[in-house]
Each structure stands twice: as structure tokens, then as C-alpha cells.
Amino acid sequence: MRLAPRGALPRRIDGAWWPHTRDLVAELPLLLAALPRTWGQIARVTVSGATWSSSPRRMLVANHVVRLGRSTTHHGPPTICLLAPGQGRWDLLVVPPETTEADAELLMAAAAAPASA
């Protein structure tokens, strides 16, 4: 995972995440554990529907319920939207698991680049 530096203006993409598989139930707890504590407790996650294998509508992660949703739009890059009530929203580019390491590094670096870059 790579996160963009905080800036004065909101960003469309706040960083990138390169999961190991397309199994959201297995990958999501790892992602949430790696997020900055300042983001607060993620309560809702929305993913690009075509990117992931089937998943439940909610799951227990670190002793709290996370609601899962799927977007139905198929244009644009695959993303994951993380919502923490009272804290904010963050959108991460999802680098497909089958991406080569070199290509994944380029995509993640571009997604996390400072807004002026």
C-alpha cells in the first residue's frame, strides 16, 4: 500500500493498494490493519464490483462490523472507497493482484505522488 501525502486540497485518489488475491474477505483485514490510526475505524467499504470475487454484505474485522458494498460502474480504474464516520473518506486505486511487481510499483507511485507532481 502507498498513501499520498496529506495536502490542503482533497484528492480523487488517496493512494494505492496491491492485494495478493481477489478474495476481499481475506484481503480486507490486512488492508484495514495497515491503515494509519488517524483514519479512525473504517465502517463502510465500497469496491469496484468486477474486481473481486463474491463477498458478504458485511464482515467482522478486528472486532467491529464493516459493511461492504459494490459499485456497478465499469468505467475508470478499479478503486476501493473507505469510510470512517466523523473522520473522512479515502479512495485507493486497486492494483490487480496479477500485475507484475515493476508495473505495480509504477502504478502505486503515481497514485501516491504529491498533488503537484
Side-chain angles (χ1 to χ4, degrees):
M1 175 177 58
R2 293 250 185 104
L3 300 176
R6 281 202 118 147
L9 298 173
R11 298 172 55 102
R12 187 176 167 304
I13 296 291
D14 300 295
W17 175 45
W18 186 25
H20 298 284
T21 69
R22 290 184 180 272
D23 182 356
L24 187 61
V25 172
E27 298 291 341
L28 187 59
L30 299 171
L31 171 63
L32 297 184
L35 295 175
R37 291 187 189 269
T38 57
W39 285 19
Q41 188 172 11
I42 302 299
R44 177 127 181 107
V45 172
T46 303
V47 296
S48 302
T51 304
W52 301 97
S53 59
S54 64
S55 61
R57 296 184 69 134
R58 62 183 152 196
M59 62 186 280
L60 191 64
V61 178
N63 293 321
H64 75 274
V65 174
V66 176
R67 296 191 183 284
L68 304 175
R70 290 180 181 267
S71 68
T72 56
T73 59
H74 295 287
H75 59 280
T79 58
I80 185 166
C81 175
L82 308 166
L83 296 170
Q87 297 293 321
R89 169 188 170 151
W90 298 271
D91 292 279
L92 302 178
L93 172 73
V94 176
V95 177
E98 60 276 3
T99 305
T100 66
E101 186 171 352
D103 288 343
E105 285 295 327
L106 290 172
L107 289 168
M108 291 173 47
S116 61

